[in-house]
């Protein structure tokens, strides 16, 4: 009973923080995709460089997300940007890079060389090969990298609460420190739904953009 | 009835039951009725695991264990049987050489680093590791290009000549069946259509299904693969000189005085031919080559030689029987 | 130098929090690993094959729930304290290990099984000589994944009384104290990167070279 009461008093706040949460993820995503896929495509030609970049991205990914937020706060302090959404978004972009770069690399590298060869043989330009062959065929794998990033982002963005970026972290962390169970429950439910829901949504998108010829297995 | 020391080929369209039959033998699939016996003992009375360790098993390319290198792959069964290290090492070396590969070159390699043909040879070597009496092979050369397949089949036949294993071989390629099989069992939709010696099947296909499966070139295929010695006839007489040809008893006279000198046919003798025909065929050449020689020289007989000795003749009229 | 000030003046405390972090991580991760691998193997046995896909989809979905939510959920049931934190970490860390062990075993080519059986390997032989070695790269990636997630989640678990380096980071964040944040960030990052590198080295040592498929 009391929980429903809580919801009816606080639904505006709940919606606001949910939108905040989505906004952080949504703003970070395009940057992460452009940078991640871009880096992936750029370095895919050079084995040495791609190994080094992957290695660095791997280490960045290994750093716990609260620690990364901490680093952002420290690094952005001189620019007076260390509080609010910008550091949260930047941290999220950095965090999302690895799955993007890795999957882009895997996608491009696993493309059948003979296919590229025959595309060249048919007289396609580098540009055409990229947009007509490489990208459509690697899109499913790149997309699963994006899905990875988004799902991770749902969790990582909760830390944004600590740097005044808002988001669903509020219900969890404020709830915990105040001992307010209804807040915690709200946070848990919303985060779980968001994580599972976005994962499902992205899987569906992945399915839609996969060329039909690749689905037959 | 599977003959000891021979290759029995199971053939038929996919889904006909040939692979199932193979798997019944090593009990990868259990029978629901009937019986399979080794030397009079039902395989149900033999422990499944022991049974399988005593039977070599080869399937298409992918059967090598990817995490084991060549040495480890070949030594799987010997290790299961608890052989000591030295014996295993010697055996692996022997087997790699048996399948015509360089020991030092391949022994440390992993399956991914081998070519398709090399993998298949290692597959055969692995199945032979514990010197099983029986070898089950399920389309072992199926995934290999035609040229290498021919080479592997030849290597395989040479090995079989030496080892004389009892082999049950599944294929869907009739050429392969005719080339390798001493006997062929033809399956269709789960039933055995015909089971007989290769030549008997070619000569007397039991029904249209078998006829269609054999195709138009079955005889030619057979003659291409079968060695001359397999079809040798004994209706010839060895003579040392023309004087010995008195009563015209035989259709073929082979002149032999410490070494092969030539031969004459009955017609030649009737026509008073004076110079001997010098042609002959080696015992391990194909019958088709023999026929070729006969065509070129317009003769119906051809002596078969083995290590300088005349062991018989090829008789044109009887090559494919009555 | 200002940034190091907190770390140097509270060196003992930082060390103690690091050890605490390591302890919580190791205990829960070890349990996740042992039990996760066991479950992964258990549900992939021949007679339970029909449950394998179910397990894969359940663990797949669970992996998309943020760790923060799981920690908060376990807190709702168990209250504040180290046991709660360890339980939450253990449960959350279990998921990738079950997932990877299962998918590693499931993706083994059926031909391999057939040949192994045909050669006379017992089920035990097949498990120890074929399935585990071939699934090992997947299992290791589960272990590494789980360890990295665990160390990060352990930081968050400080808010439910788990202790560890999260205490320093979150206190630093809420006081907007850069040197304090730094004092937590550095050891926790070293810990995560170090553990991952260590497991990577183990992986290199124990995974057959025949399975390494260079991209």
């Amino acid at each position: 009973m009391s929980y429903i009461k809580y919801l009816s008093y606080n639904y505006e706040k709940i919606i606001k923080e949910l939108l905040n949460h989505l906004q952080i993820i949504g703003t970070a995503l395009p940057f992460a995709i452009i940078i991640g896929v871009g880096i992936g495509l750029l370095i895919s030609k050079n084995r040495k460089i791609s190994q080094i970049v992957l290695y660095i991205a791997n280490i960045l990914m290994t750093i716990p997300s609260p620690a990364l937020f901490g680093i952002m706060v420290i690094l952005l302090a001189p620019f007076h940007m260390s509080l609010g959404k910008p550091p949260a978004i930047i941290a999220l972009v950095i965090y999302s890079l690895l799955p993007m770069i890795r999957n882009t690399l895997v996608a491009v590298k696993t493309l059948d060389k003979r296919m590229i060869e025959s595309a060249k043989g048919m007289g396609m330009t580098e540009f055409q090969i990229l947009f007509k062959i490489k990208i459509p065929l690697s899109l499913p794998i790149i997309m699963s990298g994006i899905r990875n990033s988004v799902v991770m982002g749902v969790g990582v963005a909760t830390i944004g609460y600590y740097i005044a970026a808002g988001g669903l972290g509020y219900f969890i962390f404020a709830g915990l420190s105040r001992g307010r169970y209804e807040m915690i429950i709200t946070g848990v439910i919303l985060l779980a739904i968001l994580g599972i829901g976005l994962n499902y949504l992205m899987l569906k998108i992945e399915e839609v953009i996969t060329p039909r010829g690749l689905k037959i297995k | 009835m599977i003959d000891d020391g021979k290759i029995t080929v199971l053939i038929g369209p996919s889904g006909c039951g040939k692979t199932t039959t193979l798997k019944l033998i090593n009990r990868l699939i259990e029978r629901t009725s009937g019986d399979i016996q080794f030397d009079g003992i039902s395989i149900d009375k033999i422990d499944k695991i022991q049974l399988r360790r005593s039977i070599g098993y080869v399937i298409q390319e992918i059967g090598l264990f990817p995490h084991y290198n060549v040495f480890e792959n070949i030594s799987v069964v010997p290790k299961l049987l608890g052989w000591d290290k030295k014996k295993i090492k010697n055996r692996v070396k022997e087997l790699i050489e048996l399948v015509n590969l360089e020991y030092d070159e391949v022994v440390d390699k992993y399956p991914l680093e081998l070519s398709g043909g090399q993998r298949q040879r290692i597959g055969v070597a692995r199945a032979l590791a514990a010197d099983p009496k029986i070898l089950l092979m399920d389309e072992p050369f199926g995934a290999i290009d035609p040229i290498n397949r021919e080479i592997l089949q030849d290597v395989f036949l040479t090995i079989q000549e030496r080892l004389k294993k009892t082999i049950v071989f599944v294929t869907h390629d009739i050429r392969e069946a005719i080339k390798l099989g001493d006997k062929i069992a033809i399956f269709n939709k789960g039933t055995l259509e015909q089971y007989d010696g290769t030549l008997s099947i070619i000569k007397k296909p039991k029904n249209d299904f078998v006829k269609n499966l054999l195709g138009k070139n079955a005889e030619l295929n057979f003659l291409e693969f079968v060695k001359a010695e397999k079809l040798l006839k004994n209706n010839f007489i060895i003579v040392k000189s023309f004087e010995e040809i008195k009563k015209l008893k035989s259709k073929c006279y082979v002149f032999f005085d410490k070494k092969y000198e030539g031969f004459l046919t009955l017609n030649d003798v009737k026509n008073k031919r004076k110079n001997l025909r010098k042609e002959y065929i080696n015992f391990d050449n194909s019958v088709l080559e023999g026929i070729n020689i006969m065509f070129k020289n317009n003769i119906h007989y051809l002596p078969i030689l083995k290590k300088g000795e005349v062991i018989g003749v090829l008789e044109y009229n009887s090559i494919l029987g009555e | 130098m200002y940034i190091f000030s907190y770390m140097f003046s509270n060196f003992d405390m930082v060390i103690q929090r690091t050890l605490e972090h390591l302890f919580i991580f190791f205990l829960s991760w070890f349990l996740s690993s042992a039990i996760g691998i066991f479950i992964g193997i258990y549900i992939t046995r021949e007679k339970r094959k029909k449950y394998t896909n179910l397990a894969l989809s359940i663990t797949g979905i669970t992996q998309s729930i943020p760790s923060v939510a799981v920690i908060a959920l376990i807190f709702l049931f168990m209250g504040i304290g180290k046991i709660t934190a360890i339980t939450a970490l253990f449960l959350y860390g279990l998921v990738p290990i079950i997932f990877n062990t299962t998918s590693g075993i499931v993706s083994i080519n059926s031909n391999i099984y057939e040949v192994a059986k045909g050669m006379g390997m017992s089920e035990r032989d097949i498990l120890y000589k074929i399935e585990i070695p071939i699934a090992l790269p997947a299992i290791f990636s589960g272990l590494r994944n789980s360890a990295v997630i665990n160390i990060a989640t352990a930081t968050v678990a400080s808010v439910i009384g788990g202790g560890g380096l999260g205490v320093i980071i979150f206190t630093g964040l809420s006081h907007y104290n850069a040197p304090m944040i730094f004092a937590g960030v550095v050891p926790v990052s070293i810990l995560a990167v170090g553990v991952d590198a260590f497991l990577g080295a183990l992986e290199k040592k124990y995974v057959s070279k025949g399975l390494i498929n260079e991209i």
Side-chain angles (χ1 to χ4, degrees):
Chain A
M1 224 30 235
S2 65
Y3 185 60
I4 292 172
K5 213 178 195 172
Y6 167 81
L7 285 184
S8 65
Y9 282 134
N10 292 280
Y11 72 96
E12 278 181 341
K13 174 75 173 163
I14 293 171
I15 290 171
K16 186 184 150 217
E17 294 302 351
L18 181 63
L19 289 177
N20 262 333
H21 206 85
L22 288 171
Q23 197 193 352
I24 296 171
I25 301 172
T27 317
L29 193 62
F31 287 107
I33 293 175
I34 293 169
I35 300 171
V37 175
I39 291 178
L41 288 175
L42 264 176
I43 63 173
S44 65
K45 296 216 179 236
N46 189 313
R47 215 187 133 77
K48 253 259 134 67
I49 294 177
S50 50
Q51 272 175 347
I52 294 169
V53 173
L54 268 186
Y55 187 74
I56 294 171
N58 228 333
I59 290 182
L60 285 179
M61 257 295 284
T62 313
I63 296 172
S65 53
L68 200 69
F69 274 80
I71 294 171
M72 284 306 120
V73 170
I74 296 167
L75 288 181
L76 293 175
F79 308 101
H80 303 289
M81 269 171 49
S82 58
L83 285 180
K85 289 208 173 69
I89 291 167
I90 295 174
L92 213 54
V93 169
I94 294 175
Y95 231 67
S96 306
L97 285 181
L98 176 74
M100 305 266 186
I101 298 175
R102 189 174 48 198
N103 284 33
T104 308
L105 267 182
V106 170
V108 174
K109 295 262 163 161
T110 50
L111 281 179
D112 195 337
K113 281 198 186 73
R114 285 167 298 182
M115 207 161 47
I116 308 289
E117 196 103 302
S118 61
K120 268 186 203 159
M122 290 162 85
M124 283 192 175
T125 63
E126 280 278 316
F127 196 72
Q128 284 169 325
I129 290 176
L130 180 66
F131 280 93
K132 294 197 168 169
I133 310 281
K134 285 187 178 172
I135 291 184
L137 287 179
S138 40
L139 216 50
I141 302 178
I142 293 176
M143 200 56 206
S144 96
I146 295 176
R147 176 167 57 91
N148 247 326
S149 299
V150 170
V151 170
M152 256 170 26
V154 175
V156 173
T158 55
I159 312 294
Y161 165 75
Y162 277 94
I163 51 173
L168 295 173
Y170 162 77
F171 297 102
I172 302 274
F173 294 116
L176 280 170
S177 59
R178 296 174 203 164
R180 297 269 307 271
Y181 279 42
E182 61 275 18
M183 284 176 78
I184 300 173
I185 293 170
T186 308
V188 168
I189 293 174
L190 285 177
L191 282 172
I193 292 177
L194 207 57
I196 295 171
L198 283 175
N199 188 39
Y200 183 78
L201 182 74
M202 304 289 279
L203 269 176
K204 285 287 154 206
I205 297 176
E206 233 170 288
E207 235 176 271
V208 171
I209 59 155
T210 304
R212 273 179 71 182
L214 291 182
K215 283 183 200 165
I216 307 158
K217 264 205 164 169
Chain B
M1 201 42 209
I2 304 269
D3 293 342
D4 274 358
K6 299 279 192 222
I7 302 175
T8 302
V9 175
L10 314 182
I11 190 170
S14 51
C16 69
K18 53 191 195 293
T19 296
T20 308
T21 308
L22 199 73
K23 289 182 186 170
L24 290 176
I25 300 175
N26 61 4
R27 290 178 65 190
L28 280 177
I29 301 174
E30 294 287 1
R31 291 184 325 286
T32 46
S33 64
D35 196 12
I36 296 174
Q37 298 184 341
F38 287 151
D39 301 325
I41 303 163
S42 168
I43 54 170
D44 297 347
K45 300 226 169 68
I46 310 168
D47 174 61
K48 218 192 289 192
I49 301 292
Q50 296 308 321
L51 174 83
R52 289 173 184 161
R53 287 179 189 178
S54 66
I55 299 177
Y57 188 48
V58 192
I59 64 169
Q60 276 203 15
E61 211 185 313
I62 326 168
L64 289 183
F65 300 138
H67 59 306
Y68 283 169
N69 63 24
V70 166
F71 186 94
E72 293 163 328
N73 259 294
I74 297 180
S75 56
V76 169
V77 178
K79 272 183 195 150
L80 288 173
L81 295 171
W83 290 14
D84 67 64
K85 273 189 182 151
K86 205 173 165 200
K87 190 174 168 197
I88 292 177
K89 202 182 165 198
N90 290 338
R91 182 67 182 152
V92 170
K93 194 159 187 219
E94 185 182 288
L95 285 163
I96 292 179
E97 280 157 9
L98 180 74
V99 294
N100 272 343
L101 291 174
E102 282 292 326
Y103 178 81
D104 292 325
E105 195 187 309
V106 297
V107 71
D108 290 328
K109 285 198 173 149
Y110 287 93
L112 273 178
E113 302 169 306
L114 300 173
S115 71
Q118 284 177 324
R119 260 178 251 173
Q120 208 46 57
R121 287 170 194 232
I122 298 302
V124 173
R126 182 175 69 172
L128 290 168
D131 204 17
K133 267 202 214 151
I134 300 163
L135 212 56
L136 305 179
M137 309 182 86
D138 192 354
E139 304 211 22
F141 310 134
I144 306 208
D145 63 278
I147 296 172
N148 277 309
R149 194 185 309 160
E150 293 280 342
I151 295 172
L152 278 173
Q153 287 165 346
D154 292 335
V155 171
F156 172 66
L157 281 175
T158 325
I159 294 171
Q160 168 64 358
E161 203 136 292
R162 274 178 56 190
L163 302 181
K164 300 254 185 287
K165 300 286 179 195
T166 304
I167 295 171
V168 184
F169 191 107
V170 165
T171 182
H172 62 262
D173 175 4
I174 187 68
R175 233 178 97 85
E176 186 169 67
I178 292 172
K179 179 171 183 179
L180 303 180
D182 293 303
K183 277 176 120 181
I184 297 181
I186 296 168
F187 287 80
N188 184 28
K189 293 180 190 150
T191 55
L192 182 64
E193 296 280 345
Q194 191 172 2
Y195 177 40
D196 211 335
T198 305
L199 184 57
S200 311
I201 285 188
I202 291 169
K203 279 202 281 196
K204 288 182 209 138
K206 204 169 137 194
N207 51 32
D208 286 347
F209 178 79
V210 177
K211 235 179 257 174
N212 282 331
L213 186 80
L214 288 171
K216 286 183 182 132
N217 296 323
E219 289 90 349
L220 265 168
N221 281 337
F222 178 74
L223 297 177
E224 182 186 345
F225 301 136
V226 79
K227 287 177 180 171
E229 65 172 340
K230 289 221 164 172
L231 296 185
L232 67 82
K233 296 283 175 194
N234 290 317
N235 50 353
F236 67 97
I237 289 177
I238 290 196
V239 292
K240 285 189 177 163
S241 62
F242 282 88
E243 286 69 50
E244 286 184 40
I245 311 172
K246 292 278 162 51
K247 289 166 258 167
L248 299 179
K249 272 199 304 199
S250 177
K251 289 181 175 168
C252 182
Y253 303 87
V254 176
F255 287 70
F256 194 92
D257 191 4
K258 285 174 192 145
K259 65 178 180 47
Y260 176 69
E261 290 176 339
F263 76 103
L264 289 176
T265 64
L266 185 60
N267 273 342
D268 293 336
V269 177
K270 281 178 180 166
N271 297 337
K272 307 259 183 316
R273 183 185 171 116
K274 284 297 162 211
N275 51 332
L276 297 179
R277 298 185 183 272
K278 298 287 185 195
E279 294 81 18
Y280 66 91
I281 184 165
N282 260 318
F283 73 104
D284 60 349
N285 284 359
S286 76
V287 174
L288 197 63
E289 282 172 64
I291 292 178
N292 209 3
I293 297 172
M294 290 193 239
F295 267 170
K296 277 185 188 151
N297 298 287
N298 194 21
I299 45 177
H300 284 171
Y301 291 89
L302 190 64
I304 303 169
L305 264 65
K306 186 174 187 176
K307 292 174 189 158
E309 298 285 335
V310 178
I311 56 168
V313 290
L314 266 185
E315 191 186 81
Y316 182 76
N317 289 331
S318 71
I319 279 175
L320 282 173
E322 297 61 54
Chain C
M1 272 308 101
Y2 158 74
I3 199 78
F4 290 99
S5 57
Y6 186 90
M7 200 193 291
F8 288 152
S9 54
N10 296 278
F11 194 72
D12 287 348
M13 190 271 274
V14 172
I15 292 289
Q16 188 224 320
R17 288 293 187 200
T18 307
L19 291 176
E20 197 176 31
H21 203 99
L22 197 61
F23 171 74
I24 293 168
F25 149 69
F26 189 75
L27 186 61
S28 55
W29 177 76
F30 183 78
L31 287 173
S32 307
S33 304
I35 295 172
I37 292 174
F38 176 81
I39 294 176
I41 291 171
Y42 183 81
I43 53 177
T44 49
R45 292 311 86 201
E46 190 81 37
K47 52 195 167 212
R48 301 185 197 91
K49 276 275 186 274
K50 53 184 171 222
Y51 303 114
T52 314
N53 275 332
L54 184 70
L56 279 178
S57 33
I58 291 176
T59 45
I61 291 172
T62 323
Q63 273 178 307
S64 59
I65 299 174
S67 58
V68 184
V70 173
I71 284 178
L73 186 69
I74 303 297
F75 163 80
L76 288 178
F77 289 106
M78 296 178 61
I80 217 153
K82 277 206 168 49
I83 304 288
T84 309
I86 291 171
T87 310
L89 292 174
F90 156 69
L91 287 174
Y92 199 67
L94 204 54
V95 183
I97 295 177
I98 297 177
F99 181 83
N100 279 1
T101 306
T102 307
S103 63
I105 292 178
V106 168
S107 58
I108 296 175
N109 197 306
S110 61
N111 280 332
I112 301 278
Y113 280 102
E114 207 195 297
V115 173
K117 269 193 215 161
M119 292 172 91
M121 285 195 175
S122 62
E123 288 204 10
R124 215 184 128 86
D125 288 330
I126 292 178
L127 176 63
Y128 287 108
K129 292 181 177 167
I130 305 293
E131 293 183 293
I132 294 179
I134 294 181
L136 209 55
I139 296 175
F140 258 110
S141 107
L143 292 178
R144 288 173 78 169
N145 222 331
S146 174
V148 170
I149 291 173
N150 188 309
I151 291 169
T153 310
T155 319
V156 182
S158 66
V159 297
I160 55 163
L165 291 161
V167 176
I168 305 177
I169 295 176
F170 282 106
T171 316
L173 279 172
S174 35
H175 290 104
Y176 194 47
N177 180 337
M180 196 170 170
I181 296 171
F182 191 75
V185 163
V186 171
V188 86
S189 304
I190 292 174
L191 203 60
V193 174
V195 167
D196 187 53
F198 175 71
L199 289 172
L202 281 186
E203 178 176 357
K204 210 167 183 179
K205 188 168 174 218
Y206 288 107
V207 169
S208 159
K209 280 161 201 68
L211 297 174
I212 297 166
N213 223 341
E214 285 269 299
I215 299 167

